[in-house]
Amino acid sequence: MRVYSQKFRKEWLQVREFQGWLAEGSAADRARCTVCHKELLAGKSELLKHARGKKHRTLVARTGPSTLPDQSCLSSVVDEDGLTHELRIVDLRTDSVTQPSREMKKAMMEAQLGDDVFSEDPTVRALEGRVAELLEKEAGLFVPTGTMANLICVMTHCWGRGSEVIVGDQSHLHLWAQGGMAQIGSVHHRSVRNLPDGTFSLTELRGLVRGDQDPQWPHTTLVCVENPHHTTGGKAIPVHWMDELGVLCSELSIPIHCDGARLINASVALGASPARIVQACDSVTLCMDKGLSAPMGSVIVGTKEFISRAVRVRKVLGGGLHQAGMMAAAGLWALDHVAPRLSWDHTHARALAQSVCEEHSSAITVDLKGVHTNVVLLHCDNIRVNAKKLCQRLACVTDAESEELGEQTVVMALAISDTTVRLVTHGDVRKEDVRATVRKLKYVIREYDNMMYLEYKISV
């Protein structure tokens, strides 16, 4: 049996009907439409048929050849029929998924190096001094991760046995650190209820503090606070509340540790310097690999005495690095070039939240006023959709969606509870990604709202 096949011909690029959208495909018998983001069987008659299609002409009229999508944002996948489709993949699970830019990599490769275990890495020393100066503390210490940084601070403050730490019940230290302070540090922790804005009642805190009056009690040694408070939606904790906490803890002679993983985001949201926000805190951690987009690393700051003790804890936890200057250089570059543009991440997050609000949906909602930084929490009604199903739907593209929107966008999100989905904007999210995500969110929300409408019609 004779099988007819047609190879792609470059001279077709000069045909008037094909100009501005036709490109070579993944194989000799494939062509690609850069407007519809799909592959076609090569053959002049097939391509002419595609060019005259209503969907294609609509997209060409809407986008035009001069405003084609940036192909660097797109990934190619092959479907079950062997045709290649171009997907825009927008990863909003967290802000630690960022890739270092070319300029950041250059700074890393050119960094001066030494052995940080001997305190001889000049780039690490520069980053530690820079962050200590930024937060107006005496000294700093570079460590591999934020989780380790917080654990080091807790263990350094709670040097003696029988210590107790008070933490918010929705804080990262309480929920997402595997109970490390108890599991590894032998430190007991007691939780205080976080309010919707990420703070907690200072009156309730006072009632939880225990001294050494009764030998059956652990001794309250430390209070931990998180700013911005991620689990409640990236809320920036007000400066006046931080000051009030400082006054109370000073009265009780209890130090304060601040988990400031995204502290620069809070600074941007509050319009206050990072040092002013943590003025009352005795120790602070700042992550380089979250909002600041570096590959790894966190910096602890505090007094010189506190940091010298923290060095010992870092050693026993395996956090002493050798030629760590490459990672520190990324942090220095991020402070200079990423920190000044964090407001864009906040703007993008607010645009996503605004698009959800505009749908006036009862299936998927958002608290627009609660979007302070780069975090958006979508709340599901758990009747038409729960968090896991919403994440699965955002991560796939249906034929109907592709036909109506004229694009194929995958949005990666994270379910943090049965009814809550988290979206986190970051430095790798571009304006085009935000626009595509907005269109995707609106389409998916209407899908779920129409499900209720159809159920209503059937029941009537």
Side-chain angles (χ1 to χ4, degrees):
M1 182 176 65
R2 186 178 179 182
V3 178
Y4 172 79
S5 65
Q6 173 70 63
K7 291 185 177 181
F8 180 87
R9 299 181 183 179
K10 290 188 177 180
E11 55 264 30
W12 289 346
L13 297 173
Q14 308 305 319
V15 176
R16 181 176 57 82
E17 290 91 336
F18 298 161
Q19 289 180 3
W21 62 267
L22 184 64
E24 292 186 62
S26 58
D29 62 342
R30 295 286 191 270
R32 181 164 59 90
C33 177
T34 58
V35 174
C36 299
H37 312 314
K38 65 187 292 187
E39 285 212 341
L40 311 164
L41 291 171
K44 193 169 183 180
S45 59
E46 288 88 345
L47 296 177
L48 284 170
K49 182 179 178 181
H50 177 77
R52 294 163 184 162
K54 181 178 179 182
K55 173 188 171 183
H56 175 82
R57 287 187 284 111
T58 301
L59 287 174
V60 169
R62 188 170 74 184
T63 62
S66 61
T67 57
L68 295 177
D70 180 2
Q71 300 301 308
S72 65
C73 300
L74 306 177
S75 299
S76 294
V77 297
V78 179
D79 65 16
E80 61 273 14
D81 298 321
L83 295 178
T84 301
H85 299 266
E86 289 180 339
L87 297 179
R88 180 184 296 278
I89 301 176
V90 187
D91 194 343
L92 300 177
R93 291 172 297 171
T94 181
D95 49 4
S96 62
V97 299
T98 53
Q99 297 291 316
S101 66
R102 183 181 303 172
E103 295 78 12
M104 182 183 284
K105 288 179 181 177
K106 184 174 184 290
M108 294 168 69
M109 293 302 295
E110 295 177 354
Q112 290 184 299
L113 303 179
D115 193 325
D116 187 42
V117 171
F118 290 110
S119 298
E120 293 175 353
D121 192 303
T123 310
V124 171
R125 299 282 82 78
L127 177 61
E128 291 171 343
R130 174 78 177 277
V131 176
E133 181 181 4
L134 178 69
L135 302 183
E136 296 181 2
K137 304 299 180 186
E138 291 182 2
L141 181 66
F142 183 73
V143 302
T145 71
T147 299
M148 182 183 284
N150 284 320
L151 179 57
I152 288 172
C153 289
V154 169
M155 292 176 65
T156 302
H157 282 293
C158 302
W159 200 250
R161 299 187 70 83
S163 296
E164 179 178 75
V165 175
I166 297 179
V167 297
D169 68 341
Q170 298 299 310
S171 66
H172 186 279
L173 265 167
H174 184 61
L175 295 179
W176 306 106
Q178 207 184 101
M181 66 177 81
Q183 183 180 171
I184 299 172
S186 299
V187 177
H188 181 260
H189 65 280
R190 200 176 189 191
S191 62
V192 58
R193 183 174 60 90
N194 277 118
L195 301 175
D197 64 354
T199 66
F200 45 77
S201 166
L202 299 183
T203 302
E204 188 175 340
L205 170 65
R206 183 189 287 272
L208 292 175
V209 172
R210 299 192 279 195
D212 55 4
Q213 303 93 337
D214 191 325
Q216 299 177 91
W217 291 346
H219 181 241
T220 303
T221 310
L222 179 67
V223 171
C224 294
V225 64
E226 184 179 335
N227 197 0
H229 199 279
H230 201 67
T231 305
T232 57
K235 302 285 201 318
I237 307 300
V239 175
H240 69 82
W241 185 87
M242 294 289 291
D243 289 343
E244 291 170 9
L245 175 66
V247 170
L248 174 60
C249 289
S250 177
E251 176 189 330
L252 298 171
S253 299
I254 300 173
I256 301 171
H257 168 65
C258 178
D259 175 0
R262 299 171 177 85
L263 184 65
I264 309 300
N265 290 87
S267 172
V268 171
L270 295 170
S273 71
R276 178 65 186 89
I277 295 172
V278 297
Q279 181 176 290
C281 299
D282 299 272
S283 63
V284 185
T285 58
L286 175 64
C287 285
M288 300 290 112
D289 56 358
K290 293 191 173 68
L292 294 176
S293 303
M296 63 165 281
S298 290
V299 178
I300 298 166
V301 296
T303 63
K304 291 180 179 178
E305 180 184 359
F306 178 86
I307 294 300
S308 67
R309 186 176 289 184
V311 170
R312 293 186 59 81
V313 181
R314 182 184 71 169
K315 180 64 178 177
V316 77
L317 294 179
L321 302 174
H322 295 282
Q323 287 70 38
M326 294 181 71
M327 296 299 111
L332 285 168
W333 193 91
L335 287 171
D336 288 333
H337 299 93
V338 180
R341 58 151 303 279
L342 284 180
S343 59
W344 278 106
D345 294 346
H346 299 182
T347 300
H348 291 160
R350 192 163 183 84
L352 297 179
Q354 181 68 44
S355 70
V356 176
C357 286
E358 288 171 356
E359 292 303 306
H360 303 289
S361 171
S362 57
I364 301 170
T365 58
V366 68
D367 175 18
L368 182 59
K369 292 182 179 179
V371 180
H372 295 179
T373 55
N374 63 329
V375 181
V376 179
L377 299 183
L378 305 181
H379 304 287
C380 308
D381 68 354
N382 216 22
I383 299 172
R384 282 159 287 180
V385 61
N386 60 30
K388 184 177 180 180
K389 287 182 179 178
L390 178 57
C391 288
Q392 291 171 343
R393 176 62 188 89
L394 290 172
C396 70
V397 180
T398 64
D399 290 340
E401 174 191 341
S402 178
E403 183 74 24
E404 181 173 331
L405 299 183
E407 61 188 357
Q408 300 181 65
T409 302
V410 168
V411 176
M412 300 174 69
L414 188 67
I416 61 172
S417 75
D418 290 342
T419 59
T420 306
V421 170
R422 187 184 74 184
L423 307 175
V424 185
T425 57
H426 49 77
D428 284 359
V429 176
R430 310 180 185 189
K431 288 183 180 179
E432 312 90 77
D433 297 323
V434 174
R435 295 188 187 106
T437 302
V438 164
R439 291 190 289 269
K440 174 91 172 188
L441 283 170
K442 285 176 172 287
Y443 183 89
V444 171
I445 289 171
R446 288 167 191 162
E447 268 189 350
Y448 287 117
D449 283 342
N450 288 338
M451 286 171 60
M452 179 61 82
Y453 172 70
L454 290 174
E455 290 171 5
Y456 174 76
K457 283 185 68 176
I458 291 170
S459 63
V460 171

